[in-house]
Amino acid sequence: MNISKRVDAAVIVVVPLFVTFLMIVGGTPGKLGAFALVGLAVGAYIGLRHPTYLTRALAFSLGALPFGYVPGVHAPLIFTLGFGVVLASVIHRTGVSRVTHGEMAVIALIVTSALSVVATGSATVDYAEFGKWLVSTLVAVSLLRLPRTELELFGRIYVYAASLAAAFAIVVLMGDPAGKLIGYLSPFGYGTEEESTRFVYSGGAATVRLAGTYIDPNAAGIGLFVALMLCVLLIRGRMRLALSALLFGALVLTLSRAALFSVVFGVVLMLLFQSMRTRDRVVIIGGFFAAFVAALSVPTVRNRVFSSFGSGDAGSSARGDALADFPGHMAGHWLFGLGWGRTEFKDPGSAFEVNYVANAPLLSVYRGGILAGLAFAAVIVVGAIIGYRCLRSKHWEHGFIGGGFIGFCVVALQLDFPVVTIPATTMAFSVLIVFLVVAWEKATDNVPDDRSRTPLASPSPVATNMA
């Protein structure tokens, strides 16, 4: 028996014995340790033998259970899977070796952010928050190492999973306003809050907002926005029409103005810059106009949209105050920022008191300093250039995600902060960047030739000997 087989045999014998011992004599900590050990062993095996399973599981979890936990272990599900995906891309030979301009901008953001946490980190929480953000951001680089067929499968799984989450959230919104149905997902850590329903207040009336497994309606708006972009890019036929309608409807019900206006802005850009047949243009204008009118026919949606332009909008007033206070907050901290593990990023009460800027580029400066803020701006600029090239494509699907990305940067990133402070939303933004690059490759006939490679496959002995 060779060494590899002996190690496998030893693991098969030792791990079950050790787990059984912990379960019998270890009490609650021992049981948790046993679950963790089993999860680690299973994850290590999958990562070494079948790494693409990790990417597919990540796609499903990010779309359907973005704030879930690994069953039996209090570890964020997408962080665990994301770490596995990043590690697998380091261990195994990748399907694509070239580095795009979008990735270089992301790497520059990672480097400048690392400098800031080294300069300001004073507690474990600082490095823990940076670690979660780092994994969520590095996923963009790791996914772009995949063969494009496998990457497109990742995108389709994300769309299907997000559609499932959207349907569940609509059922909760319509039939269970108290949010008790979320308790059925308790094995994944959901349902721990006594009151998980989210509201928006207007004129003294409270309106329930769609959130579902996304917990936060604004985070739900961003996650569903990304799913809508990928749906149009990757799905075809009647399935695309059905899922797009579901995702857009759920996005509207989140009452997230940032996400909704991002879609509107993106569609307008597509119609202005995209070269398409007159018939396609008429169909898109008609379909989008009908969808938008249907959304505005709902009183709560109509009030939410048009209150954005009124002087009585509390959110707009708070944003204005935060912008005015921003220079004072940053005094003496411009170079490396105020730090990563600050209380206002985790506690809603503290966030309300501090009223930090709800603007992603400025919040990057607030947390990581001017260098990190400039690097984040570089990601936006490079993405906008790629998005414009997609807008000039012959296929409107490419223009849709190109315009959508620019719209997201112009609207959502200027009005909201989850992309910076919530790791699950950071990862969703990373996925959006990845598929913007995929659309650009298709639009410019620059798709990498990965037909001869297997996804994240280890080099064969023959190839190793030849090297």
Side-chain angles (χ1 to χ4, degrees):
M1 185 184 294
N2 60 35
I3 294 178
S4 178
K5 290 183 178 179
R6 289 178 181 177
V7 171
D8 290 344
V11 170
I12 291 172
V13 173
V14 172
V15 170
L17 288 176
F18 189 60
V19 167
T20 302
F21 175 77
L22 286 175
M23 294 288 284
I24 294 174
V25 303
T28 300
K31 292 179 180 179
L32 292 176
F35 279 120
L37 182 60
V38 171
L40 181 62
V42 172
Y45 174 78
I46 293 174
L48 291 172
R49 299 294 187 184
H50 305 285
T52 53
Y53 292 174
L54 290 175
T55 62
R56 297 169 191 177
L58 176 63
F60 180 84
S61 300
L62 184 60
L65 302 166
F67 293 91
Y69 286 84
V70 179
V73 182
H74 194 71
L77 188 58
I78 65 161
F79 172 78
T80 304
L81 292 170
F83 181 78
V85 168
V86 172
L87 186 60
S89 68
V90 174
I91 294 174
H92 296 281
R93 188 184 70 174
T94 56
V96 177
S97 58
R98 75 180 185 191
V99 179
T100 65
H101 290 94
E103 289 171 89
M104 288 190 284
V106 170
I107 292 170
L109 175 60
I110 290 171
V111 171
T112 54
S113 298
L115 290 175
S116 74
V117 76
V118 169
T120 62
S122 58
T124 304
V125 66
D126 295 308
Y127 297 99
E129 292 303 311
F130 174 75
K132 289 186 284 188
W133 174 87
L134 178 63
V135 168
S136 299
T137 305
L138 273 176
V139 161
V141 180
S142 297
L143 290 179
L144 284 170
R145 307 276 67 77
L146 289 172
R148 293 311 183 241
T149 52
E150 182 66 29
L151 183 53
E152 290 183 13
L153 176 59
F154 175 96
R156 287 193 292 271
I157 292 173
Y158 176 81
V159 171
Y160 297 142
S163 299
L164 181 65
F168 175 75
I170 291 174
V171 170
V172 170
L173 181 69
M174 299 301 181
D176 180 34
K180 294 181 180 179
L181 283 175
I182 201 77
Y184 287 105
L185 297 175
S186 58
F188 296 97
Y190 286 96
T192 56
E193 299 181 23
E194 292 184 4
E195 178 57 70
S196 60
T197 308
R198 298 296 186 267
F199 299 90
V200 63
Y201 298 93
S202 178
T207 303
V208 179
R209 302 178 65 182
L210 181 143
T213 56
Y214 288 87
I215 304 300
D216 177 72
N218 291 327
I222 293 173
L224 295 172
F225 172 86
V226 174
L228 180 62
M229 295 295 111
L230 270 58
C231 180
V232 172
L233 179 67
L234 302 173
I235 310 296
R236 294 292 179 269
R238 294 180 180 178
M239 180 64 74
R240 176 167 69 184
L241 183 62
L243 294 183
S244 295
L246 172 63
L247 291 168
F248 183 74
L251 187 153
V252 168
L253 293 174
T254 65
L255 302 181
S256 171
R257 293 172 291 190
L260 181 59
F261 288 149
S262 294
V263 176
V264 173
F265 196 97
V267 171
V268 170
L269 287 178
M270 183 184 69
L271 294 173
L272 288 175
F273 293 101
Q274 188 81 35
S275 298
M276 66 178 75
R277 295 180 301 175
T278 302
R279 179 178 176 276
D280 291 341
R281 187 179 296 274
V282 170
V283 170
I284 291 171
I285 292 174
F288 183 73
F289 180 77
F292 196 69
V293 169
L296 292 181
S297 67
V298 180
T300 55
V301 176
R302 185 171 61 250
N303 294 337
R304 178 69 168 165
V305 169
F306 288 109
S307 70
S308 306
F309 308 104
S311 58
D313 180 34
S316 298
S317 300
R319 288 186 178 93
D321 294 339
L323 287 172
D325 295 339
F326 179 71
H329 283 307
M330 293 303 301
H333 301 279
W334 285 101
L335 187 57
F336 294 115
L338 291 164
W340 286 72
R342 296 182 64 82
T343 306
E344 58 264 34
F345 294 151
K346 303 175 73 63
D347 178 55
S350 298
F352 181 79
E353 291 179 6
V354 174
N355 190 27
Y356 58 81
V357 285
N359 175 293
L362 291 182
L363 190 55
S364 296
V365 177
Y366 181 93
R367 183 179 67 180
I370 192 66
L371 297 179
L374 290 174
F376 189 83
V379 172
I380 294 174
V381 171
V382 172
I385 293 172
I386 296 174
Y388 177 76
R389 292 179 179 176
C390 291
L391 281 170
R392 307 303 297 176
S393 168
K394 297 178 182 178
H395 300 283
W396 70 270
E397 293 90 351
H398 304 154
F400 186 77
I401 190 172
F405 181 87
I406 296 174
F408 187 81
C409 293
V410 172
V411 180
L413 292 186
Q414 310 309 314
L415 298 177
D416 224 334
F417 56 83
V419 164
V420 176
T421 59
I422 301 178
T425 310
T426 302
M427 193 177 293
F429 183 60
S430 296
V431 170
L432 180 62
I433 292 173
V434 166
F435 283 92
L436 178 70
V437 172
V438 170
W440 167 77
E441 291 173 345
K442 289 178 175 292
T444 57
D445 295 322
N446 195 26
V447 179
D449 183 11
D450 49 40
R451 290 172 295 178
S452 62
R453 297 175 180 265
T454 45
L456 290 177
S458 300
S460 64
V462 174
T464 304
N465 293 334
M466 290 178 66

